[in-house]
Amino acid sequence: MFPFHGIDFLEIDGLLTEDEKLVRRTVREFVSGEVLPHIEEWSRAGRFPQHLIQPMSEMGFYGASLQGYGCAGMSNVQYGLMMQELERGDSSLRSFVSVQGSLVMYPIHAYGSEDQKRRWLPDLQQGKAVGCFGLTEPDFGSNPGGMRTRAAKDGGAWVLNGEKAWITSGSIADVALVWAQTEDGIRGFLVEKGTPGFSAKDIKGKFSLRASVTSTLSLQDVRVPAGNMLPNASGLKGPLSCLTQARYGIGWGALGAAMACYNEALEYAKSRTQFDNRPIASHQLIQEKLADMITETTKAQLLALQVGRLKDQGRADFAHVSMLKRNNVKIALDVARSARDILGANGISDEYPVFRHMCNLESVSTYEGTHNIHTLIIGERVTGIQAYK
Ligand SMILES: Cc1cc2nc3c(=O)[nH]c(=O)nc-3n(C[C@H](O)[C@H](O)[C@H](O)COP(=O)(O)OP(=O)(O)OC[C@H]3O[C@@H](n4cnc5c(N)ncnc54)[C@H](O)[C@@H]3O)c2cc1C
């Protein structure tokens, strides 16, 4: 792996404040010191680095843009730069932080009772508890509104039955936010690890996000107290608003993966020689690839920054975030595939980070709304016509 000194073709750093650059530098150093020396080993072993949960909490990563309960209260741009640097390390770490903060802490913060907030937010922020978000089911992914998981009221309790699939951090979570159909529509329930009838099983054989835990959750007559339902989230807009938070971080995170791949391809092309001992970077076909990669990465940086600035002013909405997620993950995948090509045979080896990022980005393209679904969200925004069905 070649040294990384940041990617800034268009003086975009000049658009950032000193505080924003400080967050980026701090996370970059953490990733260079604690993640990059070991990530290939964790990925090969299919192991999530649980020992980093605590240090990441001490750096304020969890729920970083939330206020109160010990959260760091970062701006959305600071938060985005943090996600960018984390994913330069690996999508698995960014995914863990996204789920913990945007998909578990955010809904408790936005829709929970004061008791729920006090019970969970400090522990989740301090990494004493891990959370997961159970929306997807084996038969319902892009269309979560069709979910079969049910919650029925029984005296002072709710009884949950169903199955959730592809749940990040599922088997290591102390609390699962499970979305279920009730007589009054979709509601969110906090289900603690160890509750009778509740179990998690890891999905094996992944070629992507290998350093992340991905599980199925099974709920069979799981009784939770009435106070475990989020009181202020009702209908599909509850989980969808959480996804908007997480997708925002993904839009920035994908940039980090793109930057890592571009940097690797550029340095490799300058040092690798073929034909008359000339660097492959001297060939026009390689330069065209590099020109495309840096152009798309630079455009993606500007998109992320503008959505971040709008979000900080309370003016970003879910369609803006869809454009960010859709575009930046797509260009990151394109950059990773070009980088893999430039590295030749070395491009498929885990001595270089490119193939790992490329495989990770396949998941990132699918989760949190697939590329197609974000196309339809933007399409609906500009035409006023829904085209999902
Ligand atoms: C590693 C990983 C981690 C994940 N973590 C979580 C998690 O923590 N919590 C959680 O709840 N879920 C999680 N997911 C699930 C993820 O959100 C879903 O996989 C995603 O929503 C897509 O659903 P699906 O896989 O069922 O695909 P499907 O919905 O079956 O889609 C398959 C294909 O059909 C296309 N398609 C579907 N509908 C349409 C349409 N109307 N028009 C055009 N094309 C369409 C899709 O774009 C896709 O290309 C994770 C997934 C992965 C891979």
Side-chain angles (χ1 to χ4, degrees):
M1 192 179 294
F2 294 96
F4 180 84
H5 303 293
I7 305 291
D8 188 14
F9 185 82
L10 212 55
E11 296 188 21
I12 293 171
D13 269 13
L15 303 175
L16 301 178
T17 65
E18 288 309 312
D19 284 350
E20 288 162 354
K21 284 188 261 190
L22 178 65
V23 168
R24 185 181 61 183
R25 187 164 63 245
T26 309
V27 184
R28 186 173 292 173
E29 283 168 11
F30 169 79
V31 165
S32 295
E34 305 299 326
V35 178
L36 293 177
H38 313 287
I39 183 62
E40 306 303 349
E41 178 197 326
W42 301 330
S43 244
R44 269 191 202 182
R47 188 171 73 236
F48 173 70
Q50 290 204 48
H51 68 280
L52 291 182
I53 293 176
Q54 198 56 39
M56 289 199 293
S57 89
E58 285 158 20
M59 298 190 69
F61 289 177
Y62 307 139
S65 57
L66 299 177
Q67 304 289 337
Y69 305 93
C71 299
M74 283 184 193
S75 72
N76 285 289
V77 172
Q78 288 175 324
Y79 176 80
L81 289 163
M82 178 185 102
M83 296 311 237
Q84 172 189 298
E85 293 305 316
L86 273 175
E87 195 145 355
R88 183 178 73 86
D90 194 77
S91 307
S92 302
L93 282 159
R94 201 271 307 133
S95 296
F96 180 84
V97 173
S98 283
V99 170
Q100 183 89 346
S102 297
L103 296 182
V104 183
M105 293 174 71
Y106 169 80
I108 295 174
H109 195 275
Y111 305 122
S113 65
E114 198 47 49
D115 279 353
Q116 291 167 345
K117 293 180 197 183
R118 285 212 208 98
R119 163 74 185 88
W120 288 110
L121 291 179
D123 278 3
L124 289 162
Q125 196 286 322
Q126 291 164 31
K128 291 180 184 162
V130 169
C132 71
F133 178 87
L135 180 66
T136 303
E137 300 189 354
D139 294 331
F140 296 93
S142 298
N143 176 26
M147 68 174 64
R148 294 208 184 96
T149 299
R150 292 279 181 277
K153 200 84 191 274
D154 184 19
W158 286 94
V159 180
L160 281 82
N161 279 286
E163 194 177 347
K164 297 291 176 181
W166 298 103
I167 307 305
T168 302
S169 303
S171 67
I172 58 168
D174 301 286
V175 61
L177 173 52
V178 174
W179 297 95
Q181 284 284 3
T182 71
E183 277 186 351
D184 300 326
I186 293 171
R187 308 298 299 243
F189 297 87
L190 296 167
V191 181
E192 288 193 45
K193 189 175 203 161
T195 307
F198 177 54
S199 59
K201 195 168 171 231
D202 286 345
I203 295 172
K204 301 285 181 200
K206 288 182 298 168
F207 286 110
S208 175
L209 282 182
R210 288 190 49 75
S212 172
V213 173
T214 318
S215 319
T216 53
L217 306 181
S218 164
L219 300 116
Q220 290 177 358
D221 292 327
V222 175
R223 288 182 84 82
V224 298
N228 284 28
M229 185 183 79
L230 296 185
N232 302 317
S234 165
L236 203 52
K237 66 179 188 307
L240 292 186
S241 72
C242 307
L243 294 176
T244 300
Q245 302 303 316
R247 289 164 178 172
Y248 169 75
I250 291 171
W252 280 92
L255 257 178
M259 288 174 174
C261 292
Y262 168 76
N263 184 67
E264 207 67 14
L266 175 64
E267 297 306 323
Y268 187 89
K270 289 194 290 191
S271 60
R272 172 78 176 170
T273 56
Q274 290 292 297
F275 295 103
D276 300 333
N277 208 24
R278 291 176 55 195
I280 58 170
S282 68
H283 301 299
Q284 290 180 352
L285 293 178
I286 298 288
Q287 288 195 7
E288 184 190 32
K289 280 195 168 53
L290 291 168
D292 285 343
M293 290 157 83
I294 188 63
T295 304
E296 290 307 320
T297 302
T298 301
K299 285 154 64 183
Q301 281 176 285
L302 290 168
L303 178 57
L305 189 56
Q306 173 64 357
V307 176
R309 294 278 183 244
L310 286 178
K311 203 166 185 317
D312 276 332
Q313 295 161 20
R315 288 163 57 212
D317 74 16
F318 64 90
H320 298 141
V321 173
S322 281
M323 181 180 282
L324 172 65
K325 196 269 184 184
R326 177 179 184 268
N327 180 76
N328 286 16
V329 176
K330 167 76 169 70
I331 72 95
L333 250 178
D334 291 345
V335 167
R337 286 169 181 158
S338 292
R340 198 227 68 71
D341 179 68
I342 290 172
L343 266 67
N346 282 323
I348 68 149
S349 159
D350 68 5
E351 276 186 41
Y352 296 85
V354 169
F355 205 76
R356 173 173 50 78
H357 280 301
M358 194 184 85
C359 291
N360 284 343
L361 287 163
E362 292 291 345
S363 285
V364 180
S365 177
T366 287
Y367 69 26
E368 303 273 353
T370 66
H371 185 84
N372 288 347
I373 293 301
H374 288 295
T375 307
L376 300 179
I377 292 172
I378 298 167
E380 182 184 357
R381 168 56 56 88
V382 296
T383 63
I385 304 166
Q386 278 202 350
Y388 302 96
K389 294 182 184 164

